[in-house]
Amino acid sequence: MTTTASTPTRLSLMWRVYIAIWVTYGVFLSFADQLDRVADGRFDGPRWLLTFTSLVPSAVLLALAWPLTGLLERRGYRVYAIIGIHCATAFGFALVSQVPFWVMFSSGKPVSWYVWPLLYHVMTYLLGVGVFHLVRASQAAHRQALAMKEAQNLVIASELSALRNKLNPHFLFNTLHSIIALTQRNPAAAETALFQFSDMLRYVLDTERGGSDRVTLDAELDFVRDYLELEQLRLGERLHVEWDLDEDAGDHALPALSLQPLVENSIKHAFNPHTRPGILQIRTRRDAATGALSMTVRDTGPGADPAAIASAPGLGLRTIERRLQLDYGSRAAIRVQSAPGAGFSVSVTIPAAREETTA
């Protein structure tokens, strides 16, 4: 939370501005008091200093209105009660503030000389407490905005966790199903697949225990290679994988299980239902200008109609799209290109890490 850090900073700035205003006002009033003397080439230094210092009680008294505004708000007074209290306090403030002037300069003065400055100090007080209440309202709005943002972050974190909990069992179930199918045809290959699967499971568990699902692209690619080696045991010569990787993008951070579900989707739809061989292409690139990472998985399968893709009940692509939306907003994108008989291609764009930290 940044509330404890930002609130003292805001108050410190407020009091610096408060002092600067009173000092500027005091200097202006002290010179304005001697305009006639300055026009005649005379300047009364002691009188200037006396005028300036006579404003100190007013500045100090008005500063005491700050804790008063806080007390009134904490006790929950209604608006009309707060206005009544401040009106009464304003006259007390005006009387105390005017005492130095009346003592020093009251000889032979008309009644208006007493009344107008008194009303002027009443207005000064009301203006000051009005500003104090606005500052407190701004602080309350700031705290509320921080609380709402924190609540929103908690909701997003909870939804991301739920999405990960959906995706992981989905991956585990599909992989175990592949191993079970392999045991019926090739028990030795199934044993090898189980060892391969243990490495993959360790990757998933490590991301869960770490408290963050961020991994590097290299780590995700290693996981995908393990997955494809397992699928290669089952599919054999039907699966041909082509890699086109950007070696400079290996340290790019991305959510775990961002690439594997894309590959799994192609295995499920382009290879499982068919006995003919096919090609699976995996491509990664990092944009030199923006630092954004793009990952593309393309297969030579039967493809699908875009309308059928949009209405498909599958979990993998929808989950990835939602995770990217929650993590990166509009700065991330997922694009699907396919048509009947034209294969299937899905591309994911993930912004650079420096963009992510400022989000």
Side-chain angles (χ1 to χ4, degrees):
M1 290 287 290
T2 57
T3 306
T4 56
S6 62
T7 299
T9 301
R10 288 167 174 262
L11 290 179
S12 177
L13 176 62
M14 183 194 75
W15 288 119
R16 287 198 297 268
V17 172
Y18 180 85
I19 293 172
I21 290 175
W22 273 104
V23 169
T24 303
Y25 173 67
V27 171
F28 170 78
L29 189 63
S30 300
F31 277 108
D33 181 58
Q34 299 197 52
L35 286 179
D36 293 338
R37 290 183 175 83
V38 172
D40 295 337
R42 295 179 294 109
F43 179 76
D44 190 344
R47 182 185 178 90
W48 182 94
L49 183 61
L50 182 63
T51 304
F52 183 86
T53 54
S54 66
L55 296 175
V56 173
S58 298
V60 173
L61 286 173
L62 186 57
L64 296 178
W66 171 257
L68 176 61
T69 57
L71 177 64
L72 295 177
E73 291 186 4
R74 285 193 301 272
R75 293 191 174 182
Y77 285 98
R78 297 182 180 274
V79 174
Y80 64 83
I82 293 176
I83 294 175
I85 292 173
H86 281 313
C87 287
T89 309
F91 281 100
F93 166 81
L95 288 172
V96 176
S97 299
Q98 276 298 106
V99 166
F101 285 93
W102 289 345
V103 170
M104 292 182 293
F105 309 111
S106 62
S107 57
K109 301 294 183 180
V111 175
S112 61
W113 188 87
Y114 297 93
V115 174
W116 288 112
L118 199 67
L119 295 177
Y120 168 79
H121 278 85
V122 168
M123 296 303 298
T124 300
Y125 174 86
L126 295 178
L127 176 62
V129 297
V131 172
F132 286 158
H133 278 294
L134 287 176
V135 171
R136 290 192 179 277
S138 174
Q139 290 178 340
H142 180 67
R143 289 192 298 269
Q144 185 177 10
L146 288 177
M148 291 179 62
K149 184 177 181 180
E150 184 176 1
Q152 183 181 14
N153 289 338
L154 289 174
V155 171
I156 291 175
S158 299
E159 186 171 351
L160 282 171
S161 178
L163 289 172
R164 286 196 298 269
N165 291 337
K166 286 182 180 179
L167 191 57
N168 290 347
H170 176 265
F171 151 72
L172 294 174
F173 174 80
N174 288 345
T175 306
L176 285 173
H177 181 75
S178 297
I179 296 175
I180 291 171
L182 189 61
T183 59
Q184 300 172 359
R185 295 184 293 103
N186 192 339
E191 182 179 358
T192 302
L194 283 173
F195 284 108
Q196 197 79 37
F197 178 64
S198 67
D199 292 334
M200 299 169 66
L201 185 60
R202 186 178 300 110
Y203 174 85
V204 174
L205 293 177
D206 286 344
T207 59
E208 292 291 336
R209 284 196 298 263
S212 172
D213 69 345
R214 290 295 187 273
V215 297
T216 63
L217 175 60
D218 280 340
E220 182 76 3
L221 286 171
D222 288 340
F223 180 71
V224 170
R225 289 188 184 96
D226 288 339
Y227 172 76
L228 287 174
E229 287 179 12
L230 188 153
E231 291 295 335
Q232 194 86 54
L233 294 173
R234 184 174 61 87
L235 297 173
E237 294 300 323
R238 291 159 54 193
L239 175 61
H240 298 276
V241 182
E242 295 180 355
W243 300 87
D244 182 11
L245 305 179
D246 185 348
E247 296 182 357
D248 295 330
D251 61 345
H252 197 288
L254 71 162
L257 295 177
S258 294
L259 179 60
Q260 185 273 338
L262 307 182
V263 176
E264 183 178 348
N265 185 72
S266 286
I267 295 294
K268 177 180 178 181
H269 296 285
F271 295 91
N272 284 348
H274 308 284
T275 58
R276 64 178 182 271
I279 299 175
L280 178 68
Q281 298 174 325
I282 300 175
R283 182 177 185 269
T284 63
R285 286 291 184 274
R286 178 151 60 183
D287 188 280
T290 65
L293 172 69
S294 63
M295 303 183 297
T296 302
V297 176
R298 182 180 295 108
D299 62 59
T300 57
D305 183 74
I309 297 173
S311 60
L315 177 65
L317 294 182
R318 292 180 183 276
T319 301
I320 292 176
E321 184 176 18
R322 183 56 179 160
R323 288 177 72 197
L324 292 176
Q325 180 183 7
L326 291 173
D327 268 340
Y328 306 103
S330 61
R331 294 175 295 118
I334 180 169
R335 294 177 295 276
V336 176
Q337 294 180 329
S338 184
F344 189 91
S345 174
V346 57
S347 298
V348 171
T349 301
I350 296 177
R354 62 177 178 273
E355 295 182 19
E356 179 184 347
T357 56
T358 59

